[in-house]
């Protein structure tokens, strides 16, 4: 999953969880931490801050603008924010997180051949050269 998509998913999931009495404090705390980090990036951007505070039902409506704002601010490349978003998803959807649904650590450039199956854990590959 691209970091920007995971950050938006975490904001959406956290906003939904924050409205439920049944959501644990761990999810709510992780969500508040993520929002705080993002808002620091939007210090001089009231619209950006407002988008981060959108209600769950509003996030889908403003998703395109939110994505643009997050990308323009470089939030999709901020490791601390990506880790905070991962933490929200880990708390909100532990099974999906375990299955790698929110994995943002895969970067591929060029052609990749012969990749199949299911991997779990850390896989380090390198250096990779392009074949002929």
């Amino acid at each position: 999953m691209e970091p920007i998509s995971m950050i938006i998913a975490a904001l959406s999931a956290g906003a939904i969880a924050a409205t439920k009495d049944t959501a644990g404090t761990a999810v709510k705390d992780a969500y508040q931490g993520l929002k705080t980090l993002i808002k620091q990036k939007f210090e001089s951007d009231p619209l950006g801050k407002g988008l981060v505070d959108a209600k769950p039902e509003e996030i889908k409506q403003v998703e395109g603008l939110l994505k643009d704002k997050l990308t323009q601010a470089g939030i999709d490349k901020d490791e601390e924010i990506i880790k905070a978003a991962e933490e929200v998803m880990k708390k909100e959807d532990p099974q999906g997180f375990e299955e790698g649904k929110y994995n943002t650590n895969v970067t591929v450039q060029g052609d990749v051949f012969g990749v199949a199956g299911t991997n779990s854990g850390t896989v380090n590959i390198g250096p990779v050269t392009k074949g002929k």
Side-chain angles (χ1 to χ4, degrees), residues 29-132:
D29 289 347
Y31 170 61
Q32 287 303 322
L34 173 63
K35 280 179 43 173
T36 298
L37 289 171
I38 293 172
K39 284 177 159 184
Q40 288 171 353
K41 293 280 191 175
F42 287 139
E43 194 62 40
S44 61
D45 185 349
L47 177 58
K49 284 183 180 181
L51 291 171
V52 173
D53 283 330
K55 294 178 181 160
E57 61 274 10
E58 296 170 339
I59 289 180
K60 272 290 182 206
Q61 295 170 347
V62 299
E63 188 173 331
L65 181 56
L66 178 60
K67 184 176 182 177
D68 289 344
K69 285 284 191 182
L70 293 171
T71 303
Q72 289 169 4
I75 289 170
D76 59 326
K77 293 177 180 32
D78 185 304
E79 289 297 319
E80 187 177 15
I81 291 174
I82 292 169
K83 292 285 183 207
E86 287 175 344
E87 193 61 29
V88 171
M89 298 316 296
K90 185 177 187 179
K91 304 270 189 243
E92 180 59 23
D93 183 10
Q95 182 177 353
F97 188 84
E98 268 307 302
E99 292 170 356
K101 183 176 179 180
Y102 308 106
N103 184 357
T104 60
N105 296 323
V106 176
T107 302
V108 177
Q109 293 179 325
D111 300 326
V112 177
F113 299 98
V115 177
T118 302
N119 295 306
S120 178
T122 301
V123 177
N124 295 311
I125 303 171
V128 177
T129 58
K130 185 174 180 179
K132 294 181 180 183

